[in-house]
């Protein structure tokens, strides 16, 4: 597993914390330092700051059952506010370097499947209900028990799969890997850049930034990932000033050689007043009468399964990256981590940003040396500042931030060596877990396929007693999760 490179000077003494702050956050006890935590917090923020721009575009681009849209400026402010507060809460309560923000995938589900069946307030009310249910599961110990019932090597496979998932996210966001258009008349689904070439300035920035980060990493330079992001951004600003590349969409027209999401240019204004008018705009009752209780239950179940297992996988992957898991593959203060995550889900609904969840991009901060909740204080504070400094946040393009995701994907991939590939009873479920996360673009899909196949293989070998009783229930729930399409068609 990746371990932060040694700092210059005296190493931290775990037995003698420097002060009460150090003792509370266990900075020295976990072999970290304040400089590592700050660097880690900065790296995490820069790799996930895109959500302040992307979440409003996803939710703000959809209409509810009444044909209403939510205002994008208010969505941006609420996204930054909830991400900042929940990330800080995770730092103080969970004391674990795991940042939170509006969940990708979940926000699309809310925007394009749930909201059209009801009002925005009703849809966000369902997100609040889902968060409350998860909180109850945590407080009763069920969520922690399910987490501990998963075999250790399967937890390792989850971390490796998420590493590959991060890698493909980075490659796709940077435009290095692209979907081959149907007009190309080929069965190949994805390809390299434009017709197999790196035919754009943004992709060149990504490649140069990635190589820079790799060189810094192998030379054990402190802050390699953060330097890579900032260096790539600086190069992108220069390229845009000289070549005038522009965004990937201009006046509704596609510009495939443009910058993804953010155009890297210095903003004309640095400060903006946040619009917090969407806070509290949710309703937990009316959705049942408008969409029908069976449809609503299916929506809540889908949200629940997605949040429940995405967070478990993310928590393991981040802990694995920082060598912070115990012999059972469990991070410290697991119950507190899961509780804060459930509170964040409800908070996201209450603020109309959709469910907030733990971000795997936190692994970028851990790769920079973060081991405690102090990194979250930095990341959270930057999100709160982003409410006012939204013009500055959008300076960093995907092509610069994505370099970190690819490098972190490599670091997380190294744990694959600890899986016993000669034992097919664990190797096949582990393989399916690892493969399906990037290939289906979903953490939950990978976990579900892995756990279902694990139960099936063990039963086929006559080893039912080796299966934790809770895993039978989890596998059954995932079967329902995978069959939710046919089930929803019957309900409609």
């Amino acid at each position: 597993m990746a371990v932060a490179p040694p700092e210059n000077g005296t190493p931290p003494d775990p037995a003698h914390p420097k002060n009460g702050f150090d003792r509370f956050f266990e900075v020295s006890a976990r072999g970290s330092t304040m400089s590592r935590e700050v660097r880690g917090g900065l790296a995490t923020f820069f790799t996930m700051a895109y959500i302040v721009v992307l979440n409003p575009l996803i939710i703000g681009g959809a209409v509810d059952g009444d044909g209403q849209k939510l205002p994008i400026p208010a969505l941006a402010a609420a996204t930054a506010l909830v991400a900042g507060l929940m990330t800080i809460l995770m730092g103080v309560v969970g004391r674990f370097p795991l940042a939170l923000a509006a969940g990708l995938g979940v926000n699309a589900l809310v925007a394009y499947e749930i909201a059209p069946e009801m009002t925005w307030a009703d849809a966000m009310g369902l997100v609040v209900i889902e968060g409350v249910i998860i909180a109850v599961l945590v407080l009763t110990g069920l969520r922690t028990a399910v987490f501990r019932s998963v075999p250790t090597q399967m937890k390792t496979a989850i971390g490796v799969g998420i590493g590959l998932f991060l890698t493909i996210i980075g490659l796709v966001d940077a435009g290095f890997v692209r979907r081959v258009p149907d007009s190309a008349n080929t069965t190949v689904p994805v390809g390299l850049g434009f017709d197999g070439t790196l035919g754009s300035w943004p992709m060149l920035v990504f490649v140069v930034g990635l190589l820079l980060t790799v060189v810094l990493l192998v030379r054990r330079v402190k802050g390699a990932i953060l330097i890579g992001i900032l260096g790539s951004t600086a190069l992108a600003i220069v390229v845009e000033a000289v070549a005038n590349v522009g965004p990937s969409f201009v006046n509704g027209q596609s510009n495939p050689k443009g910058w993804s999401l953010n155009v890297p240019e210095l903003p004309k204004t640095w400060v903006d007043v946040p619009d917090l008018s969407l806070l509290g705009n949710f309703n937990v009752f009316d959705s049942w009468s408008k969409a029908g209780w069976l449809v609503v239950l299916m929506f809540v179940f889908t949200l629940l399964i997605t949040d429940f297992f995405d967070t478990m996988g993310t928590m393991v992957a981040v802990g694995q990256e920082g060598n912070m898991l115990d012999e059972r593959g469990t991070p410290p203060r697991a119950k507190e981590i899961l509780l804060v995550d459930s509170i964040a889900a409800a908070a996201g609904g209450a603020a109309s940003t959709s469910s907030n969840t733990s971000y795997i991009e936190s692994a970028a901060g851990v790769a920079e040396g973060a081991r405690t909740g102090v990194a979250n204080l930095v990341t959270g504070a930057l999100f709160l500042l982003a409410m006012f400094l939204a013009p500055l946040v959008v300076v960093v393009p995907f092509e610069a931030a994505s370099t970190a995701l690819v490098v972190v994907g490599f670091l997380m991939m190294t744990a694959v060596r600890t899986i016993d590939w000669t034992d097919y009873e664990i190797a096949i479920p582990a393989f399916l877990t690892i493969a399906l996360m990037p290939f289906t673009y979903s953490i939950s899909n990978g976990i579900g396929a892995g756990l279902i196949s694990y139960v099936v293989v063990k039963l086929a070998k006559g080893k039912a007693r080796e299966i934790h009783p809770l895993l039978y229930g989890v596998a059954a729930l995932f079967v329902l999760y995978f069959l939710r399409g046919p089930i929803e068609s019957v309900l409609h």
Side-chain angles (χ1 to χ4, degrees):
M1 296 179 186
V3 178
E7 297 275 3
N8 295 329
T10 305
D13 183 359
H16 298 90
K18 297 177 181 179
N19 47 49
F21 186 87
D22 186 336
R23 185 180 301 106
F24 179 82
F25 285 103
E26 302 176 331
V27 178
S28 296
R30 297 188 189 179
S32 186
T33 63
M34 288 302 297
S35 61
R36 286 179 180 174
E37 297 299 316
V38 171
R39 280 205 316 270
L42 287 168
T44 295
F45 174 76
F46 281 117
T47 55
M48 59 184 289
Y50 66 85
I51 195 62
V52 178
V53 178
L54 186 56
N55 189 54
L57 293 180
I58 292 174
I59 296 181
V63 296
D64 65 8
D66 291 344
Q68 300 297 314
K69 283 190 174 185
L70 295 179
I72 288 180
L75 283 169
T79 297
L81 174 64
V82 178
L85 294 178
M86 292 300 104
T87 296
I88 291 172
L89 185 65
M90 179 66 80
V92 174
V93 177
R95 302 176 203 171
F96 193 70
L98 193 61
L100 302 97
L104 288 173
V106 176
N107 55 7
L109 172 66
V110 172
Y112 299 108
E113 293 188 39
I114 299 179
E117 299 288 336
M118 55 196 75
T119 67
W120 280 113
D122 296 335
M124 295 303 171
L126 294 186
V127 176
V128 173
I129 292 172
E130 172 250 338
V132 171
I133 292 173
I134 294 182
V136 171
L137 294 177
V138 173
L139 293 173
T140 57
L142 181 60
R143 194 179 190 188
T144 306
V146 169
F147 173 76
R148 289 175 175 165
S149 70
V150 178
T152 300
Q153 290 194 62
M154 285 297 293
K155 291 177 182 175
T156 300
I158 290 170
V160 173
I162 290 176
L164 290 179
F165 183 45
L166 265 184
T167 300
I168 195 169
I169 288 174
L171 294 174
V172 170
D173 285 351
F176 191 85
V177 171
R178 294 174 183 256
R179 180 179 179 274
V180 176
D182 296 335
S183 58
N185 194 27
T186 176
T187 57
V188 178
V190 294
L192 172 67
F194 300 96
D195 298 323
T197 66
L198 303 179
S200 73
W201 284 108
M203 270 190 282
L204 177 63
V205 169
F206 168 74
V207 171
V208 172
L210 180 59
L211 292 176
L212 169 64
T213 307
V214 168
V215 169
L216 294 173
L217 190 71
V218 297
R219 292 183 64 86
R220 303 290 183 182
V221 174
K222 291 186 295 182
I225 293 175
L226 181 58
I227 293 172
I229 295 172
L230 297 178
S232 301
T233 301
L235 174 61
I237 291 173
V238 173
V239 167
E240 174 60 23
V242 174
N244 194 26
V245 177
S248 55
F249 281 89
V250 182
N251 298 323
Q253 299 296 316
S254 176
N255 174 26
K257 295 187 178 183
W259 301 99
S260 300
L261 190 64
N262 296 335
V263 177
E265 53 189 7
L266 294 178
K268 295 179 178 146
T269 177
W270 295 69
V271 180
D272 200 5
V273 178
D275 177 359
L276 302 178
S277 60
L278 290 177
L279 301 187
N281 185 30
F282 68 97
N283 188 333
V284 298
F285 299 111
D286 288 351
S287 58
W288 304 87
S289 60
K290 289 186 178 179
W293 68 272
L294 282 175
V295 173
V296 169
L297 282 178
M298 201 64 207
F299 282 146
V300 172
F301 173 74
T302 303
L303 288 169
L304 190 68
I305 289 291
T306 302
D307 264 355
F308 193 101
F309 289 97
D310 269 19
T311 297
M312 285 174 51
T314 302
M315 183 173 70
V316 170
V318 172
Q320 184 173 290
E321 169 63 23
N323 201 18
M324 294 182 284
L325 305 180
D326 62 20
E327 65 281 356
R328 295 187 299 178
T330 304
R333 301 178 67 82
K335 183 174 182 179
E336 288 83 356
I337 293 170
L338 293 172
L339 179 60
V340 173
D341 183 84
S342 62
I343 293 172
S352 296
T353 67
S354 90
S355 178
N356 274 230
T357 189
S358 303
Y359 260 57
I360 189 55
E361 282 88 345
S362 305
V366 173
E368 279 293 349
R371 296 293 182 272
T372 77
V374 175
N376 276 38
L377 303 185
V378 176
T379 304
L382 290 172
F383 268 118
L384 295 180
L385 282 175
M387 287 194 302
F388 302 91
L389 301 175
L392 187 59
V393 171
V394 300
V395 168
V396 182
F398 264 163
E399 290 79 4
S402 295
T403 58
L405 302 184
V406 176
V407 170
V408 171
F410 154 73
L411 294 174
M412 295 174 69
M413 180 70 189
T414 59
V416 74
R417 67 186 184 278
T418 64
I419 298 173
D420 184 1
W421 295 103
T422 64
D423 180 2
Y424 283 10
E425 293 176 29
I426 192 70
I428 291 175
F431 166 74
L432 291 174
T433 300
I434 293 170
L436 289 183
M437 283 189 196
F439 292 154
T440 67
Y441 232 64
S442 168
I443 294 173
S444 292
N445 288 348
I447 294 175
L451 294 182
I452 290 173
S453 61
Y454 176 81
V455 171
V456 170
V457 168
K458 287 293 185 183
L459 289 175
K461 291 283 290 184
K463 297 181 178 180
R465 292 185 179 179
E466 294 184 11
I467 305 172
H468 193 289
L470 282 174
L471 285 188
Y472 288 108
V474 171
L477 288 174
F478 266 117
V479 170
L480 291 175
Y481 172 75
F482 286 124
L483 293 177
R484 67 190 186 278
I487 293 173
E488 287 175 359
S489 66
V490 171
L491 295 179
H492 281 290

